[in-house]
Each structure stands twice: as C-alpha cells, then as structure tokens.
Amino acid sequence: MKGFCLEVKGSYACFTRPEMKVERVSYDVITPSAARAVYDAILWKPAIFWRVTRIEVLAPIRWISVRRNEVGAVASTKKRHIFVEDNRQQRAGLFLRDVKYRLFAEFEFIPPEKRGKVYNPVPDYLHDMEELEIVRQDEKPAKYAAMFERRASKGQCFNQPYLGCREFSAQFRLVDPQVEPASPISETRDLGWMLYDMDYSDPSNIKPQFFRAKLSYGVLNLGNVEVRS
Amino acid sequence: MSNPMKNRYDFVLIFDVKDGNPNGDPDAGNLPRIDPETGHGLITDVCLKRKVRDYVMLAKNLSLEFDIWVKSKSLTLNEQIQRAYAEDDAVKKAVEAWKAWQKDKKKNPKPARHYEDVARDWMCRNFYDIRTFGAVMSTSDKAEKDGVDGMSKIKKTAGQVRGPVQITFSRSVDPIVALEHSITVCAARKADKPVESQIGIQGRKNTVPYGLYVAHGFVSAHLAAQTGFGEDDLNLLWDALCNMFENDRSAARGLMSTQQLVIFKHNSALGNAPAHSLFKRVILTRKDDSKPARDFSDYKLEINKSNLPAGISIIERL
C-alpha cells in the first residue's frame, strides 16, 4: 500500500507530556498519536488503521508560554451546572509556536470480519454524493486510499485537524515529496521517551505506549521503533 | 434536533478594542496578552467562548434546551432558571434497564443503549454550550458500596463530547502597545479605619489604545450531528459572535466591538476547499502607515471574492 504525506502547519501546538498535564508542557515535536489524529480527522473508518511512518520537522522548535483560566470540574448529570468562579484553576502552558511538519503515514486495512462495531454512524444526509461512487466499490484497501486522497487534496475533512489541542487548528496539504522536496531542520537530538500512541485494544483499559524518540537531522523515523507499554 | 446542519463552515471573526484590556495575562500582572516575540496582541480561545456562553445566557434566559453548563457568577440569573432539573425519564429508564440486566442476564435483555449514552444525549440536548463546544463528562456515580444500588459493578468512565465549534487564539493585525495608567482610590471601603488612610492609594489599569484582532473558527457538520447542534443553534452562534461584546461592558474592557464576521459556507459536509485558502481571502490593511491606528476606519477590509472555489459561498454578518 502506498503511503501519503501531509504537510501540516499551525501557529501554535501543544503535544502535552503525560508527566506534565496540569501545567501543560509540550513535547518538542509532534507525537505519532497526534499525527495519527490529523489523518483520522480527514478520513477514518472501522476498515482502516492509520500508522505514522515518518515525521519531518520543517520549522525550528520555538516556544511560547500562555497562562489561562481553566475550570477544574467535569460535567455530569448529577450536578446542575458549574460555576467557573468556584472551580477556577489558573494554568500555564508551554506551547510550541509556528510549527510545520511533514507527516508520512500509511493505513492498515482491516478485513470486514475483524472490524469493530460502529457506534456513531454518519447520518445519511451528511454523505458526500461524489464519494458514494468510491464507497460502492469492493472492499479493498485501494478504495480507502482513493477516498483519503480525494478528501486531502480538496481540503475536505470530517473535522478541522488540530495540533494537540482543538484551539490549535492545523492547516493541511497533501504533498508528493518527490515533486515538492522539503528540507527538514538540521537538528539531531535524543528526545528521550515519548508517547507513541494509546493502545485501545481493550476499551476498558486503554494503555499508553512509549518509544525512544531520536530526531536525526530533523527526521523522526518510526519505521521500526520499539514500542513499550 | 430540528433542522440538522448539513454544511461545513469556516469563519473569520474581526473585532477591535479601544482603550481597554481585551484579555489580561495572569502571568504579567493582568497586562494585555502580548506575543513577546512579535508584539502582537493575543486573545485566548476560552476568553471568546466565555463571551459566547454569556451572550446565550442573556439572550435565551436559560430557557429549556438553551441552558448553559459552565456558568459565570457575574451573571446572576439563577432565580430566573425556569427549567426543572429533575432527571430525564429516559435516563432513569435506561439506568433501570441496565441494573435489571446486570442483576439477571439470563432473564433480562441487554439494553440497546448504555445509560451513559442516554445521559450524554440529555446533556447535549439541554445545554447549549455542551452541544456547541463539547465537554468532558463523567456520567456515572462514584463507585458505591456493593449492592446499594447495583452501580458498583459499573465502571466509572468519563466520556468526552467533542463539540462542532472550534475557535483559535485571536491575534492582532498589528503589534499593540499596552499603556499603564495610574488611578487614585477616592472612596473608603472599610468603616473601621480612618478615611484618610484609605484614600489616595494608587491603583493601576492597563489598556490597549487600539487593537484590531482576528480569530478563526470552524464548524464541523459531522460533529454537529453527534451532539445535535442544529441550524437554529448555528444562527444563535453567529448572533452571539456579532453581539457578545455588547453585553460584556466593564471598566476593564473599554470599547470592544465585533466589526465583521465573514463566514465561508461549503455546500457539503466534508467541505469544498481547504480552510486556510479561504481565510487568506480576508485581507486587512492599514490605510496610512505613517500614524498609529486608533479606529477601525484606519483599516481597509477586503474580501477577495474572485475565482471562489465551486461550492463556497461567503456570508458577511454584522
């Protein structure tokens, strides 16, 4: 299956380190799970599973600190409402700014008998008429590749992709790295243990997985990293 | 939900502040937020969302289906809440059905829907801000002792509702300057101390003489379908974005106004063009660079409508 490459840009980003969640501190570069979520925001079906293979960092790593008033309470039917003044938490965040990445990913095709249940089917009135033709094709990976290519090249998405938090929206562009070469930053660094993704195989016990991230000349190669839970 | 939303929208909100502090930075003694590297002013996403919530609270008076979950005490409308907060019958029934099934799985059928999903729908239906911006929810009790109500076997999960509306940080078109004004206290506050010792103290106030800010936002029809955010809700959102500053006057804010809301409507749910290519069509330029801007009329707003991609229409709201 051929892979895809998305060029993703944003004014801000926050890929929160799990050990610093209260006063959020971002990882230096996008995590594979956040990169997967960008692909998911454009196209996801129970038939496919996105795997990010390579991340290229095209913009220098820069930071900004922003402190915001947040609410430290969750919604529940047991309460009537939340008063922000009673649940006030001022939290700073150390975010990335002016980020630009190239995210390479391919999807794994899941045969019909192994697919999970759909809980939230897209209502009929939202179906894209032009896409229906592709949908009617046989269950083959190529069908989903065609759907993704169509959406990404037209700027279509299920919801606007974002860089770690929803307020940091991302602009995306499908690029062919052969036609449009780009040079990553020339930074080589060991980024230490970094979140790879969450393991959703058991929905009642979702586990984080980590890997040793090594940035080599601005490239994070995820081809054969060892992932540990 | 009446009239479900069938289109994707991307919007540009242009608003300004005159002699006020649009959004203080708690890290900098409540000075207006400034991007330290460029000098541009910033306004956080949550600041604008608060104003949308407050506008809807006032406009809809917390009526049925337009209640606001994350309330601010500065708007004390509590006495006017007209809705009964008794839990919805559907939720009660769903919990009962779940308990019955937990007790005897042979005799009782497994309910088609988990009670948490029913409860989540109820929250979305009743609270405008939850179905617009989403919320982190926990829709079950804390685990209680075994057998009290059969809930103990039910795993406490926190669901998340992703709302269809995403708003980014706003940024000023030009760098801003923050002015600091000293003000003098002239009214004594404490009755048990001499008046002379209480007046004449200097206070501080920070303002931006003028700042024109731009925020970008997105509305996803797919996520709208999941939370039940319909066309009427969307129109209320546009109203809120246009009028939210009109009901948010205060000594700190100065004069804030929405100057223009430019909405790009796609004729499909997935969209017809990349959002950033549409945002580029809204161009704000200074008419005269030789003197500092002090009014919206010092700027020229152009909306480039030539060769619009097929299926995109522009709506200008104010």
Side-chain angles (χ1 to χ4, degrees):
Chain A
M1 124 104 236
K2 80 173 182 105
F4 294 101
C5 172
L6 282 178
E7 187 166 284
V8 174
K9 273 201 315 199
S11 311
Y12 306 95
C14 180
F15 311 109
T16 312
R17 291 172 180 270
E19 69 271 27
M20 291 187 255
K21 275 196 128 144
V22 176
E23 300 246 299
R24 296 182 194 86
V25 176
S26 174
Y27 280 115
D28 297 39
V29 300
I30 188 169
T31 58
S33 74
R36 171 187 58 79
V38 170
Y39 274 85
D40 282 347
I42 297 167
L43 174 78
W44 179 83
K45 300 275 179 200
I48 59 172
F49 178 79
W50 285 106
R51 197 176 294 286
V52 181
T53 54
R54 180 185 167 92
I55 291 169
E56 292 182 353
V57 185
L58 305 188
I61 298 167
R62 293 162 58 215
W63 302 88
I64 184 170
S65 163
V66 178
R67 187 176 288 274
R68 291 181 287 186
N69 288 332
E70 299 186 14
V71 167
V74 293
S76 133
T77 46
K78 301 281 173 274
K79 287 181 272 185
R80 293 175 164 211
H81 41 62
I82 294 173
F83 276 124
V84 289
E85 292 84 353
D86 299 342
N87 296 285
R88 175 61 74 234
Q89 293 184 346
Q90 272 198 352
R91 296 177 175 188
L94 196 55
F95 306 143
L96 295 166
R97 47 177 315 167
D98 299 322
V99 297
K100 191 172 177 185
Y101 302 109
R102 280 202 170 178
L103 312 174
F104 294 76
E106 48 197 40
F107 62 80
E108 216 169 282
F109 180 71
I110 299 161
E113 61 276 8
K114 286 194 182 161
R115 282 175 204 169
K117 216 171 98 185
V118 179
Y119 291 97
N120 250 336
V122 172
D124 286 342
Y125 63 83
L126 291 181
H127 278 305
D128 191 282
M129 285 305 144
E130 293 170 41
E131 216 171 64
L132 280 180
E133 224 162 283
I134 310 177
V135 174
R136 288 198 197 97
Q137 290 167 6
D138 283 346
E139 266 311 320
K140 287 204 179 69
K143 151 173 154 176
Y144 296 100
M147 265 167 106
F148 178 82
E149 195 154 354
R150 183 177 173 276
R151 286 190 189 186
S153 54
K154 288 175 90 171
Q156 297 184 313
C157 53
F158 185 91
N159 60 284
Q160 190 68 25
Y162 45 91
L163 298 165
C165 301
R166 293 193 73 196
E167 57 270 36
F168 307 137
S169 70
Q171 45 171 285
F172 63 93
R173 205 160 65 85
L174 186 67
V175 292
D176 181 346
Q178 254 65 45
V179 179
E180 277 187 85
S183 45
I185 56 171
S186 61
E187 202 165 322
T188 299
R189 226 175 350 135
D190 186 343
L191 300 171
W193 287 96
M194 187 169 168
L195 181 78
Y196 180 77
D197 210 331
M198 307 299 280
D199 179 0
Y200 297 97
S201 52
D202 174 7
S204 63
N205 180 20
I206 298 165
K207 291 193 293 285
Q209 305 166 302
F210 293 87
F211 75 112
R212 193 67 191 258
K214 292 190 173 76
L215 194 66
S216 132
Y217 296 102
V219 176
L220 205 56
N221 203 332
L222 303 158
N224 48 5
V225 290
E226 185 193 350
V227 176
R228 294 190 196 168
S229 279
Chain B
M1 167 178 54
S2 55
N3 311 341
M5 240 183 74
K6 297 183 174 126
N7 308 78
R8 181 181 123 188
Y9 294 86
D10 301 314
F11 62 89
V12 182
L13 177 72
I14 300 163
F15 60 101
D16 63 357
V17 58
K18 216 184 262 192
D19 294 319
N21 183 354
N23 184 203
D25 186 347
D27 267 341
N30 210 30
L31 280 162
R33 291 182 190 276
I34 286 190
D35 176 338
E37 288 183 350
T38 62
H40 286 89
L42 291 177
I43 292 176
T44 59
D45 58 311
V46 282
C47 169
L48 294 183
K49 285 178 177 176
R50 170 81 268 146
K51 294 188 187 355
V52 169
R53 286 185 165 104
D54 288 352
Y55 174 83
V56 173
M57 271 172 88
L58 287 167
K60 292 286 179 179
N61 205 356
L62 303 180
S63 58
L64 202 63
E65 301 195 350
F66 288 97
D67 202 344
I68 292 290
W69 177 259
V70 184
K71 289 193 179 80
S72 170
K73 276 188 182 165
S74 57
L75 296 168
T76 45
L77 293 167
N78 296 348
E79 301 86 42
Q80 300 170 30
I81 298 177
Q82 295 158 5
R83 43 161 315 180
Y85 269 107
E87 276 226 16
D88 187 48
D89 285 342
V91 180
K92 281 185 189 154
K93 269 191 203 136
V95 174
E96 290 306 319
W98 193 266
K99 281 185 198 166
W101 175 70
Q102 287 276 333
K103 263 200 191 96
D104 191 349
K105 295 195 181 179
K106 285 199 182 80
K107 226 162 63 183
N108 298 315
K110 183 177 178 180
R113 294 188 70 216
H114 197 291
Y115 64 92
E116 284 185 359
D117 297 335
V118 181
R120 199 170 300 150
D121 286 355
W122 180 82
M123 299 285 281
C124 283
R125 204 167 49 243
N126 285 288
F127 293 97
Y128 181 82
D129 55 342
I130 291 182
R131 64 176 182 268
T132 306
F133 301 128
V136 177
M137 308 235 221
S138 92
T139 47
S140 69
D141 292 347
K142 287 195 174 67
E144 295 189 15
K145 285 196 193 89
D146 257 11
V148 171
D149 63 351
M151 295 289 264
S152 56
K153 289 178 187 160
I154 296 172
K155 208 175 166 68
K156 184 174 191 284
T157 60
Q160 266 198 344
V161 179
R162 277 190 308 171
V165 180
Q166 257 173 275
I167 299 178
T168 62
F169 276 21
S170 324
R171 176 171 276 275
S172 64
V173 178
D174 289 312
I176 56 165
V177 285
L179 304 180
E180 193 171 304
H181 311 275
S182 290
I183 48 178
T184 312
V185 178
C186 63
R189 282 174 297 181
K190 297 191 176 92
D192 54 350
K193 286 189 178 165
V195 171
E196 290 73 27
S197 71
Q198 294 187 59
I199 58 172
I201 305 165
Q202 299 265 297
R204 285 185 336 173
K205 203 174 166 171
N206 302 301
T207 65
V208 176
Y210 185 78
L212 181 63
Y213 289 80
V214 175
H216 293 145
F218 314 87
V219 192
S220 155
H222 291 93
L223 294 179
Q226 289 181 13
T227 67
F229 181 90
E231 285 285 341
D232 305 351
D233 292 328
L234 184 73
N235 287 323
L236 180 58
L237 174 78
W238 301 145
D239 288 347
L241 292 172
C242 291
N243 301 315
M244 58 192 178
F245 299 114
E246 310 299 326
N247 303 295
D248 187 58
R249 306 278 179 226
S250 77
R253 295 273 171 263
L255 181 61
M256 292 187 75
S257 328
T258 298
Q259 293 293 355
Q260 185 67 274
L261 174 62
V262 185
I263 304 163
F264 296 96
K265 180 178 179 178
H266 300 248
N267 73 0
S268 67
L270 285 170
N272 300 58
H276 60 95
S277 72
L278 300 174
F279 292 154
K280 273 193 203 129
R281 295 176 168 270
V282 178
I283 309 151
L284 281 160
T285 42
R286 280 268 293 282
K287 286 178 185 167
D288 182 357
D289 274 336
S290 66
K291 60 184 206 309
R294 285 294 177 263
D295 191 79
F296 186 60
S297 61
D298 294 339
Y299 284 90
K300 189 160 125 223
L301 168 64
E302 284 173 284
I303 303 171
N304 176 1
K305 296 178 183 170
S306 60
N307 348 323
L308 265 184
I312 302 282
S313 49
I314 298 180
I315 306 163
E316 292 169 59
R317 279 280 302 252
L318 189 63

